[in-house]
Amino acid sequence: MRNDPAAQAMNYTLRDEIRDYWSARAATFDQSPGHEIFSEDERQAWHGLIEKHLGRGYGRAALDLASGTGVISHLMDDLGYRVTGIDWSDDMLALARAKATARGRSIRFHLGDAERTLAPDESYDVVVTRHLVWTLVDPQACFREWHRVLKPGGRLLVIDGDFVHTGFCERVIKRIDTLLQKAGWISPQPAPAPAGLADTHRSILSRVHFSNGARADAVGHLLADSGFSVISIDRDLRRIHRAQAAHLGRLKALARGLHHRYAIVAERPANANPPD
């Protein structure tokens, strides 16, 4: 029964699909602007965003959820945090560990589930996520888990966006970009994912909680319902976008600047538990 393909298919969940999708993306993940960091200007822009909402580390414990190849973990390490990164993809973790070794970093990476981290209660001063929330099947269960592992007074920083809806201007820009590439007037930009995975991405996106787009206000309301307080939404990520734009085509950079992207910072209140 253990090797029965039918039984395996029945037990293959959406969360397994998401894990396998990102495992398939691992080998080329760091090649895309917006994933890895390609300039010192962008690095400093990310440092500024993190310091603005979380401050410097001074040895405080930080958990990087869905850490991927470790990009955010390294930024946190730069700022003096004692970083643990968890990811559900062995392929991503292998790359993250190799990168940390090559750079002489002491970041810990291990296999873990954002919904069930297995970390002790109140074990982290800060929790950070980038481009994770839009993929969640049950965000409120995840938010309660993140609340649990934060120390009282600890902070959560969510960096995400609505990658579903596009406004009229963005659609026009993308259409022009496509036509100019076909005409040979501009060089084609690398695809964000291998072509064979595009259908998988669309299928997954249609079935996650935020299938209609992870809007900042909706995420903030769910965080409040999960026990977080002092929730604020920062929509000014222009410094990061400008730095990334140097490594994108002009039209792609313009389109990205129109995305609904944001950072949300929330706090676990002192001596408070999440609601039942």
Side-chain angles (χ1 to χ4, degrees):
M1 177 67 98
R2 185 174 299 173
N3 296 318
D4 181 355
Q8 291 177 356
M10 288 177 62
N11 291 323
Y12 189 72
T13 67
L14 175 56
R15 296 168 80 237
D16 294 324
E17 288 185 58
I18 294 170
R19 177 201 61 211
D20 291 347
Y21 171 80
W22 288 110
S23 292
R25 293 285 310 271
T28 59
F29 187 82
D30 282 348
Q31 296 175 14
S32 299
H35 290 173
E36 182 56 283
I37 292 170
F38 290 91
S39 70
E40 187 58 27
D41 283 347
E42 184 181 355
R43 189 178 312 282
Q44 292 303 319
W46 278 107
H47 285 164
L49 180 72
I50 294 167
E51 283 195 75
K52 176 181 178 181
H53 296 298
L54 301 178
R56 296 190 71 87
Y58 301 110
R60 291 186 292 154
L63 176 62
D64 179 12
L65 289 162
S67 52
T69 62
V71 176
I72 298 298
S73 294
H74 282 261
L75 292 169
M76 301 295 288
D77 185 71
D78 291 344
L79 294 174
Y81 285 91
R82 182 165 41 89
V83 186
T84 298
I86 69 169
D87 201 279
W88 211 11
S89 164
D90 283 316
D91 298 88
M92 287 286 192
L93 289 169
L95 292 169
R97 290 174 183 134
K99 188 188 295 185
T101 298
R103 295 179 180 176
R105 304 297 184 96
S106 58
I107 303 167
R108 294 177 58 247
F109 291 103
H110 63 82
L111 193 67
D113 180 354
E115 189 174 323
R116 292 180 289 273
T117 65
L118 303 182
D121 292 352
E122 302 179 5
S123 51
Y124 290 98
D125 297 286
V126 301
V127 172
V128 61
T129 80
R130 183 181 69 161
H131 300 172
L132 166 63
V133 166
W134 73 273
T135 72
L136 296 176
V137 177
D138 187 350
Q140 192 151 34
C142 289
F143 296 167
R144 289 171 186 259
E145 170 71 354
W146 306 350
H147 184 284
R148 181 187 69 79
V149 302
L150 273 172
K151 297 176 182 178
R155 288 192 165 191
L156 167 69
L157 178 61
V158 170
I159 302 152
D160 226 286
D162 177 356
F163 306 118
V164 177
H165 292 106
T166 56
F168 174 76
C169 291
E170 185 180 349
R171 291 195 297 273
V172 169
I173 291 167
K174 287 183 175 180
R175 180 60 177 161
I176 293 171
D177 183 67
T178 299
L179 292 172
L180 291 178
Q181 288 186 37
K182 286 181 177 178
W185 293 351
I186 61 174
S187 300
Q189 295 293 311
L197 292 176
D199 288 342
T200 302
H201 179 271
R202 282 191 290 270
S203 174
I204 288 171
L205 184 56
S206 71
R207 290 174 288 148
V208 295
H209 179 89
F210 291 112
S211 59
N212 291 320
R215 306 297 291 185
D217 289 340
V219 175
H221 287 312
L222 280 178
L223 287 168
D225 290 343
S226 303
F228 286 94
S229 65
V230 197
I231 298 165
S232 63
I233 299 171
D234 183 355
R235 294 181 173 87
D236 184 8
L237 306 186
R238 287 174 295 180
R239 186 180 172 196
I240 292 171
H241 294 159
R242 282 196 300 268
Q244 292 173 344
H247 302 276
L248 293 164
R250 184 172 298 178
L251 290 172
K252 252 187 207 314
L254 183 58
R256 178 170 292 198
L258 296 173
H259 286 170
H260 177 75
R261 295 175 183 250
Y262 51 83
I264 301 178
V265 63
E267 186 173 305
R268 174 177 173 170
N271 303 316
N273 293 315
D276 294 332

